Amino acid sequence: MALVTTTEMFKKAFDGKYAIGAFNINDMEIIQGVTRAAKVQNSACILQVSKSALKYANPLYLKAMVDAAVAETGIDVALHLDHGPDFETVKEVIDAGFTSVMFDGSHYEYEENVAKTIEVVKYAHERGIVVEAELGKLAGVEDDVKVDSANATYTDPDQAVDFVKRTGVDSLAIAIGTSHGAYKFKGEPKLDFDRLETITNKLEAAGFSKYPIVLHGASSVDPASVEMCNKYGGEIKGARGIPNEMLRKAAGMAVCKINMDTDIRLAMTAGIRKSMAEKPEAFDPRGYLGLARELIQSLVESKIKDVLGSVDSMK
Ligand code: G3H
Ligand code: 13P
Ligand code: ZN
């Protein structure tokens, strides 16, 4: 079994009205927790790596561990660059064996985003690698770039069509009200589903049938994980994510990839905190990292089953 691109995954997800989970990875425990969960649910999955994860773990280690996870589980896995900031990083991971890349030029002026994305698409497509790009600005923090909610802008549907046409990107991340991190809403959670539908319809009318849309900042900020963190010494206050019903609704529309990092972080931290609090005399990392890995696995199993709907997508 080798790594795959997202092309087939997204076709099946669009037709089947479900989404593939894209989970951020930084170390072995996360890779094992996610892929073992996907195996249990017979689901494909995307493992994604941010620029800071590349710096933390080294792409060579991540690629080797992901290859090992594919050999262990036999499931379809795409290894994806998350929020690639520049051409050099894209090139580095493609050369290291990643099968999918995101180039995030959303903070550039439109024409500059188009030009830079075209350069990435050319390099990737010549090597059989797929490209995700982003249009519109999400609020929140990612890789040291902070966008406050006043500067977040939703994706313009006509611009989305123009962007896809001119760049040839394989999937598009859009801004409809999600945001990165654990504090997504102060008031009532709200996503602009009408905008999502308009974008899909306009793409369809322009000849981009069943075009895969990506939702970033889509952690539900699992209340059980937050509660466990706080019970064992954490101070995570006022955290709020995207309600599961909204994620299910998006997955039933054109959203084929749903990104989650915060939920993994919370589950991992909850496991470590609980283990350390309950066994203060213990100092074997396999104890606390083992519980963290178990909690990641059970979180991802329930995401696949109850939220994404990708159970048995390996059939
Ligand atoms: O969208 C960003 C991801 O949550 C990655 O975060 O840059 O801290 O690894 P990171
Ligand atoms: P969350 O912060 O909601 O987990 O989003 C992660 C993400 O979009 C990674 O690209
Ligand atoms: Zn993101």
Side-chain angles (χ1 to χ4, degrees):
M1 284 289 289
L3 293 171
V4 297
T5 71
T6 51
T7 308
E8 284 308 310
M9 287 183 192
F10 289 169
K11 271 189 200 149
K12 284 161 78 178
F14 198 107
D15 286 338
K17 295 191 179 303
Y18 62 84
I20 301 291
F23 303 95
N24 286 71
I25 58 167
N26 298 282
D27 62 23
M28 184 190 79
E29 283 73 19
I30 302 176
I31 294 169
Q32 290 179 336
V34 173
T35 52
R36 288 174 184 175
K39 169 81 179 164
V40 169
Q41 299 296 355
N42 197 29
S43 169
C45 73
I46 298 166
L47 300 178
Q48 57 185 12
V49 182
S50 69
K51 174 85 180 172
S52 35
L54 289 175
K55 193 168 156 207
Y56 175 78
N58 182 330
L60 294 175
Y61 281 80
L62 293 168
K63 169 70 166 60
M65 288 192 289
V66 170
D67 282 340
V70 171
E72 179 190 88
T73 59
I75 54 160
D76 284 346
V77 175
L79 180 54
H80 172 80
L81 172 67
D82 189 29
H83 294 286
D86 47 42
F87 180 79
E88 289 64 39
T89 311
V90 166
K91 185 176 178 310
E92 180 191 6
V93 300
I94 291 178
D95 296 350
F98 282 40
T99 54
S100 172
V101 291
M102 174 190 193
F103 171 68
D104 182 359
S106 60
H107 48 286
Y108 290 114
E109 287 307 315
Y110 181 66
E111 286 301 330
E112 204 171 350
N113 188 2
V114 171
K116 287 181 187 293
T117 304
I118 288 174
E119 192 190 6
V120 165
V121 169
K122 184 172 184 303
Y123 188 82
H125 283 185
E126 281 170 1
R127 289 157 183 80
I129 302 306
V130 288
V131 181
E132 171 188 326
E134 180 168 324
L135 207 54
K137 281 196 189 75
L138 267 68
V141 185
E142 73 200 36
D143 254 341
D144 303 331
V145 180
K146 192 172 186 309
V147 180
D148 59 34
S149 47
N151 285 321
T153 39
Y154 285 5
T155 307
D156 175 81
D158 291 312
Q159 206 172 55
V161 174
D162 183 68
F163 188 83
V164 169
K165 234 188 238 173
R166 288 170 63 194
T167 60
V169 278
D170 303 281
S171 60
L172 186 68
I174 61 166
I176 55 165
T178 61
S179 59
H180 291 104
Y183 305 92
K184 300 191 192 294
F185 298 103
K186 286 205 180 84
E188 274 310 292
K190 195 173 173 333
L191 296 185
D192 193 346
F193 287 106
D194 290 345
R195 186 174 296 265
L196 168 59
E197 196 169 1
T198 306
I199 290 170
T200 305
N201 291 343
K202 287 195 179 237
L203 282 167
E204 188 83 35
F208 297 97
S209 175
K210 302 182 181 181
Y211 192 84
I213 298 296
V214 177
L215 210 54
H216 280 248
S219 279
S220 56
V221 187
D222 176 47
S225 301
V226 174
E227 202 184 307
M228 197 185 288
C229 284
N230 288 341
K231 180 171 173 192
Y232 295 104
E235 287 185 23
I236 302 167
K237 305 222 169 77
R240 199 139 178 232
I242 314 290
N244 284 338
E245 319 79 75
M246 290 191 184
L247 295 171
R248 276 195 293 271
K249 182 170 174 182
M253 297 171 71
V255 171
C256 295
K257 173 174 180 270
I258 291 191
N259 283 13
M260 286 163 274
D261 184 6
T262 299
D263 277 335
I264 301 283
R265 295 178 180 198
L266 287 168
M268 184 159 202
T269 304
I272 292 170
R273 282 198 176 280
K274 180 173 193 290
S275 183
M276 287 194 169
E278 285 180 346
K279 294 184 195 135
E281 75 292 354
F283 51 87
D284 182 342
R286 290 168 297 189
Y288 53 85
L289 292 177
L291 181 60
R293 180 174 60 185
E294 270 173 39
L295 293 185
I296 291 169
Q297 180 172 340
S298 76
L299 173 95
V300 174
E301 280 184 38
S302 71
K303 290 273 180 196
I304 291 172
K305 196 157 58 68
D306 305 326
V307 181
L308 300 160
S310 64
V311 179
D312 284 338
S313 56
M314 281 296 298
K315 267 186 195 156

